[in-house]
Amino acid sequence: MSISENLQKIKSKLPGQVCLVAVSKTKPNAAIMEVYQAGQRVFGENKAQEMLAKYEALPKDIKWHMIGTLQSNKVKYIAPFVDLIHSVDKEKLLKEIDKRAKANKRIINCLLQVHIADEESKFGFSAQELLQLVYSGNLGKYENVRIVGLMGMATNTSDESKVTVEFQSLNQLYKKLKSEYFTEEGNFNILSMGMSQDYPIAIEQGSNMVRIGSSIFGSRNYP
Ligand SMILES: *Cc1c(COP(=O)(O)O)cnc(C)c1O
């Protein structure tokens, strides 16, 4: 199947309220343009400089989402244009995003990444760290950052019940924060969970944003 056929097939399986982020990391501009021409406008990248190069070369109505671990010293590359950062995993990073957003006279939308998998390799706040940060009141200091939801990655396993429980726990945390802290209507609305391998389970568990790469673009040689 072609890339655009893959895209159509996935879109036909997504409920209307679920936003698709086409994860184009490592893929060439020509492949991105094929997906763009099939109507897709939201793309995800995991490296700041690669995202910047693609932003400069490709149509300006693309919404670029940063989904990978972001080092503070790389925020400057994407701050002028990034649409959503999924991978905020430290308060220090939030501080830097706020500073760069201010310098660009923007407010940058961010998700807090939560570590739900039992793999060390995945980044993010633990549920407890996240609650501590939120209830510390410190988030209010970052006036040029808007926290709009949570992101998480499940363990890479074929054990579907394990993946289900992990996504469920993230959804519970999301609902708790939405009802107890981020109560302003319309501000905290994104639950980003699900990739090629596990997005149907993520949607069952309440995801409204999925990040799909290999099922659209084909497999990658490196992560
Ligand atoms: C690479 C990546 C994806 C997409 O993975 P696929 O298995 O190719 O769909 C999703 N989320 C994050 C954070 C990623 O790094």
Side-chain angles (χ1 to χ4, degrees):
M1 281 214 295
S2 72
I3 292 178
S4 54
E5 283 167 336
N6 291 340
L7 177 77
Q8 295 316 333
K9 191 173 153 209
I10 289 182
K11 278 173 57 172
S12 72
K13 290 193 224 160
L14 297 181
Q17 79 282 8
V18 176
C19 173
L20 171 63
V21 180
V23 175
S24 50
K25 60 190 184 191
T26 80
K27 297 295 175 183
N29 291 346
I32 297 176
M33 279 312 292
E34 203 177 326
V35 177
Y36 178 89
Q37 264 142 14
Q40 179 68 20
R41 290 295 178 271
V42 183
F43 290 87
E45 289 285 335
N46 69 340
K47 295 206 163 65
Q49 280 117 318
E50 183 176 344
M51 182 190 276
L52 173 59
K54 288 174 173 174
Y55 164 77
E56 284 173 344
L58 291 166
K60 291 296 173 287
D61 62 342
I62 289 180
K63 294 183 165 154
W64 292 103
H65 287 198
M66 173 51 67
I67 62 167
T69 311
L70 181 60
Q71 289 169 322
S72 293
N73 61 0
K74 304 279 172 70
V75 174
K76 59 177 180 284
Y77 296 117
I78 61 171
F81 66 89
V82 68
D83 185 67
L84 178 64
I85 299 176
H86 291 230
S87 43
V88 174
D89 60 354
K90 289 185 192 70
E91 191 177 347
K92 178 174 168 239
L93 179 59
L94 214 49
K95 193 173 169 184
E96 178 67 16
I97 295 169
D98 183 56
K99 177 176 142 192
R100 298 289 172 181
K102 215 166 269 160
N104 283 281
K105 300 190 168 58
R106 303 185 65 208
I107 290 180
I108 296 182
N109 290 329
C110 292
L111 306 178
L112 299 172
Q113 182 173 351
V114 187
H115 187 118
I116 51 172
D118 67 4
E119 293 157 308
E120 277 301 317
S121 61
K122 284 173 184 157
F123 292 83
F125 296 99
S126 69
Q128 201 191 351
E129 287 166 344
L130 184 77
L131 292 172
Q132 255 167 26
L133 171 64
V134 168
Y135 290 104
S136 71
N138 280 359
L139 292 179
K141 293 197 294 198
Y142 308 118
E143 291 179 342
N144 290 60
V145 167
R146 188 181 297 124
I147 306 291
V148 294
L150 302 181
M151 183 274 248
M153 289 166 90
T155 303
N156 183 7
T157 170
S158 56
D159 180 352
E160 295 195 352
S161 63
K162 184 171 174 59
V163 172
T164 302
V165 168
E166 290 174 356
F167 284 147
Q168 210 166 42
S169 72
L170 186 58
N171 190 13
Q172 277 163 5
L173 191 59
Y174 169 74
K175 284 194 199 142
K176 177 180 165 69
L177 290 176
K178 196 173 166 63
S179 66
E180 292 179 8
Y181 186 83
F182 296 101
T183 51
E184 201 174 316
E185 190 65 34
N187 258 351
F188 189 81
N189 278 326
I190 299 179
L191 181 55
S192 167
M193 55 186 199
M195 321 183 4
S196 293
Q197 199 195 323
D198 55 20
Y199 76 88
I201 303 176
I203 290 169
E204 271 169 26
Q205 296 309 321
S207 167
N208 58 24
M209 185 173 276
V210 292
R211 311 173 310 271
I212 298 182
S214 45
S215 293
I216 298 173
F217 289 98
S219 59
R220 291 176 299 273
N221 296 327
Y222 51 99

